[in-house]
């Protein structure tokens, strides 16, 4: 009787742990290159046609004020996937290198590696790390179960075509062709097939990196024809000659000058919006496959851009800037069990928060070096009043801190600092630093600088 009881207990424990493992949540992680915050539900630019992402936003939690760790691809992606802020790794420009090529970080546990090491099947394709497709040593190839090595993007054509005379990448054009042959769509189909056919014993982490709406803005004509350029308004944050009174800037003005002198501003808006819609089309392919699969009820879905993009704001057509528009992006998390699903969250959050959040949601051990906050509490109560965790961004060595009310750009030269009241001036039209008493000794500025110093120096690698 005693022996049989032991066997029953052992059998129960084996069943409990096997069921517990089987019930670990899957993850579908989708990142789109240069996808800014023009999702209609956010309210900044209502004309974007993104029905699949609109649906995901209604089902999950939409973060209305999400920013990347840096406003360009390489540092943003290295930060998100390594868990190390640009201020820690020193990677704050596209030329800053790959995290594992730095001797002190060559053994850092990346997000995909953390899932792999803790029992997940890990599949990735597209532009997740900075190279445009998987397989290169800069895509962390040794820490995936399997990778999709196809290219990304889409061809276009000479319909609605425009080309910069100065920048070969800055161009757009629509074409008529089989959409299924476009590389981003091939990627979406490959991810969809993997989701629907997956029958492994391990939970899965699947990552998809869509290239559009990255330049050149090329896509099928059907996406361009969704928009009438003559009816498109300028973005809410646009203010003519807004860049004249700022103490320093980065490249981007020449593209704006060329577009305005050529009289193609509205056409540029249409081209970008067309590529947003093309991205949404591919997101829809993957989400439909998940819904039709046996995994839909147990899969966390994350959608994010890798940073923002200016379309005329601050007299620029580019990313590469310290302003809010360059870092601000669309960010949605759908966790099937989250109590806050269907709500919007207004607190500022960072893409740096994705790694620690997914570790918590999937009940995995977070590597000790990972910087950022788990925003799991915001998935449960998006409207809570006591969050207000400041977020940190870095570009070309310049650190930026943002709270719900303030955004401080801390240039190495204090005379070039910028301070904006985001509640009264959400588009950063009036630099308060050095005005109205906002100097280095002002309590607002000193508090922000202290918070920034804490975030910059709080990592395990510092």
């Amino acid at each position: 009787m005693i022996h049989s009881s032991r066997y029953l207990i052992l059998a129960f424990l084996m069943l409990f742990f096997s069921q517990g493992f089987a019930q670990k949540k899957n993850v579908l992680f989708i990142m789109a290159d240069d996808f800014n915050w023009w999702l209609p539900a956010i309210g900044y630019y209502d004309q974007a046609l993104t029905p699949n992402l609109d649906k995901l936003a209604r089902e999950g939690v939409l973060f209305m004020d999400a920013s990347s760790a840096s406003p360009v691809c390489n540092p943003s992606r290295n930060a998100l996937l390594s868990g190390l802020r640009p201020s820690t790794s020193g990677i704050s420009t596209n030329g800053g290198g790959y995290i594992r090529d730095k001797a002190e970080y060559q053994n850092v546990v990346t997000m995909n590696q953390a899932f792999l090491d803790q029992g997940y099947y890990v599949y990735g394709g597209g532009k997740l790390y900075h190279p445009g497709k998987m397989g290169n040593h800069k895509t962390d190839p040794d820490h995936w179960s399997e990778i999709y090595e196809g290219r990304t993007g889409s061809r276009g054509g000479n319909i609605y075509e425009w080309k910069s005379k100065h920048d070969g990448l800055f161009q757009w054009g629509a074409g008529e062709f089989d959409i299924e042959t476009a590389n981003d769509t091939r990627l979406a189909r490959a991810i969809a097939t993997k989701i629907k056919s997956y029958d492994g014993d391990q939970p899965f982490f699947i990552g998809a990196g869509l290239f559009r709406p990255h330049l050149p803005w090329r896509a099928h004509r059907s996406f361009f024809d969704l928009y009438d350029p003559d009816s498109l308004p300028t973005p809410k944050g646009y203010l003519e000659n807004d860049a004249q009174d700022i103490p320093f800037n980065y490249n981007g003005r020449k593209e704006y000058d060329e577009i305005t002198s050529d009289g193609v501003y509205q056409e540029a808006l249409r081209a970008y919006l067309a590529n947003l819609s093309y991205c949404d089309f591919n997101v829809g392919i993957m989400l439909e496959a998940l819904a039709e699969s046996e995994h839909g009820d147990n899969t966390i879905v994350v959608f994010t851009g890798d940073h923002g993009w200016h379309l005329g704001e601050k007299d620029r057509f580019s990313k590469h800037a310290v302003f809010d528009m360059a870092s601000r992006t669309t960010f949605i998390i759908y966790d099937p069990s989250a109590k806050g699903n269907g709500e919007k969250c207004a607190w500022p959050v960072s893409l740096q928060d994705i790694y620690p959040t997914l570790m918590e949601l999937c009940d995995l051990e977070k590597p000790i070096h990972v910087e950022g906050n788990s925003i799991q509490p915001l998935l449960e109560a998006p409207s809570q009043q006591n969050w207000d965790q400041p977020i940190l961004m870095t570009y070309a060595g310049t650190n930026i801190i943002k709270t719900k009310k303030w955004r401080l750009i801390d240039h190495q030269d204090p005379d070039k600092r910028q301070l904006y009241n985001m509640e009264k001036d959400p588009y950063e039209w009036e630099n308060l630093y050095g005005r109205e008493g906002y100097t280095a000794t002002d309590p607002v500025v000193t508090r922000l600088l202290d918070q920034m110093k804490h975030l910059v120096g709080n990592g395990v690698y510092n």
Side-chain angles (χ1 to χ4, degrees):
M1 187 68 163
I2 294 176
H3 290 295
S4 62
S5 297
R6 285 178 179 173
Y7 289 133
L8 285 172
I9 293 170
L10 180 61
F12 172 79
L13 289 173
M14 291 177 64
L15 179 63
F16 175 82
F17 284 115
S18 66
Q19 285 182 339
F21 182 77
Q23 289 302 311
K24 277 192 177 293
K25 293 175 182 175
N26 305 306
V27 176
L28 173 59
F29 173 76
I30 306 171
M31 181 159 50
D33 205 328
D34 291 3
F35 198 107
N36 64 10
W37 62 310
W38 283 22
L39 197 73
I42 297 176
Y44 177 69
Y45 199 88
D46 299 339
Q47 284 70 27
L49 299 174
T50 51
N52 297 297
L53 286 171
D54 294 346
K55 182 175 184 290
L56 182 64
R58 291 192 299 269
E59 294 173 346
V61 176
L62 172 63
F63 292 90
M64 306 280 283
D65 192 355
S67 296
S68 59
S70 190
V72 284
C73 301
N74 185 54
S76 172
R77 292 163 184 269
N78 267 293
L80 192 162
L81 292 164
S82 74
L84 296 174
R85 294 188 180 102
S87 59
T88 299
S89 69
I91 302 173
S92 65
T93 66
N94 273 345
Y98 166 56
I99 191 71
R100 290 198 191 278
D101 287 342
K102 294 181 173 290
E104 63 269 43
Y105 306 127
Q106 61 183 352
N107 294 318
V108 69
V109 178
T110 58
M111 184 169 74
N112 47 285
Q113 181 183 355
F115 276 98
L116 182 68
D117 290 349
Q118 297 185 62
Y120 273 65
Y121 169 81
V122 182
Y123 180 81
K127 187 176 179 182
L128 291 168
Y129 287 84
H130 190 42
K133 69 185 189 73
M134 297 294 289
N136 183 289
H137 89 280
K138 295 181 180 180
T139 64
D140 202 25
D142 296 334
H143 298 106
W144 301 85
S145 307
E146 186 180 357
I147 58 176
Y148 168 84
E149 295 191 25
R151 300 188 67 84
T152 53
S154 172
R155 65 183 183 277
N158 57 10
I159 306 168
Y160 311 131
E161 189 175 32
W162 180 87
K163 294 182 179 181
S164 168
K165 300 179 183 65
H166 310 292
D167 183 345
L169 191 63
F170 197 58
Q171 58 177 277
W172 59 78
E176 293 181 332
F177 51 87
D178 182 358
I179 295 176
E180 296 299 319
T181 64
N183 287 329
D184 271 0
T185 303
R186 291 185 184 200
L187 167 64
R189 293 294 182 196
I191 297 293
T193 298
K194 178 61 66 175
I195 291 170
K196 294 179 77 170
S197 63
Y198 184 74
D199 60 357
D201 294 330
Q202 300 168 281
F204 65 70
F205 173 94
I206 295 179
L210 297 168
F211 193 61
R212 293 291 183 260
H214 193 287
L215 286 167
W217 294 329
R218 295 176 182 153
H220 192 274
R221 178 176 184 169
S222 60
F223 299 103
F224 280 74
D225 285 344
L226 292 172
Y227 302 95
D228 173 13
D230 294 332
S231 67
L232 294 174
T234 54
K236 291 179 181 178
Y238 176 79
L239 179 66
E240 190 173 2
N241 298 320
D242 182 34
Q244 289 185 348
D245 63 345
I246 57 177
F248 76 103
N249 207 337
Y250 292 101
N251 59 310
R253 174 78 198 213
K254 63 180 180 180
E255 291 88 352
Y256 171 80
D257 288 342
E258 188 173 14
I259 281 178
T260 52
S261 64
D262 281 6
V264 292
Y265 193 150
Q266 305 302 115
E267 286 79 4
L269 295 177
R270 172 178 62 183
Y272 183 80
L273 287 164
N275 280 260
L276 283 188
S277 293
Y278 174 56
C279 173
D280 180 80
F281 169 79
N282 292 312
V283 170
I285 291 172
M286 293 181 275
L287 295 183
E288 182 180 21
L290 179 62
E292 293 175 351
S293 76
E294 62 184 57
H295 311 294
D297 294 335
N298 192 42
T299 299
I300 298 164
V301 179
V302 177
F303 175 84
T304 184
D306 61 343
H307 46 69
W309 225 88
H310 291 252
L311 285 116
E313 304 99 336
K314 297 290 183 189
D315 301 345
R316 8 178 0 94
F317 263 81
S318 71
K319 38 198 173 184
H320 303 101
V322 294
F323 307 112
D324 198 45
M325 295 295 171
S327 297
R328 196 88 169 259
T329 189
T330 298
F331 178 34
I332 306 165
I333 297 182
Y334 168 67
D335 175 358
S337 61
K339 295 178 182 177
N341 282 338
E343 297 183 39
K344 298 176 182 180
C345 179
W347 289 111
V349 297
S350 171
L351 303 190
Q352 198 69 38
D353 301 333
I354 291 176
Y355 191 161
T357 301
L358 288 179
M359 291 293 100
E360 181 169 359
L361 294 180
C362 295
D363 195 24
L364 302 178
E365 182 178 351
K366 181 188 74 172
I368 190 172
H369 75 275
V370 174
E371 299 173 319
N373 301 304
S374 170
I375 54 175
Q376 186 272 343
L378 295 178
L379 297 176
E380 296 301 308
S383 300
Q384 64 178 277
Q385 298 299 308
N386 58 350
W387 182 257
D388 203 17
Q389 300 288 334
I391 62 172
L392 181 71
M393 294 147 276
T394 306
Y395 178 56
T398 296
N399 291 319
I400 305 109
I401 190 167
K402 183 176 184 179
T403 67
K404 194 170 186 179
K405 184 173 183 178
W406 299 103
R407 196 169 186 274
L408 175 68
I409 301 166
D410 183 33
H411 195 272
Q412 296 93 324
D413 180 351
D415 292 334
K416 294 182 178 180
R417 283 178 178 153
Q418 298 175 57
L419 175 69
Y420 298 98
N421 185 324
M422 303 303 288
E423 291 180 346
K424 295 180 178 179
D425 180 23
Y427 308 131
E428 299 178 312
W429 287 344
E430 182 180 10
N431 176 20
L432 297 176
Y433 193 81
R435 301 171 56 186
E436 302 181 22
Y438 291 110
T439 62
T441 58
D442 179 79
V444 169
V445 175
T446 56
R447 183 175 68 253
L448 290 169
L449 289 173
D450 285 345
Q451 289 176 318
M452 181 184 291
K453 183 178 180 180
H454 174 75
L455 290 172
V456 169
N458 203 36
V460 70
Y461 280 98
N462 292 108

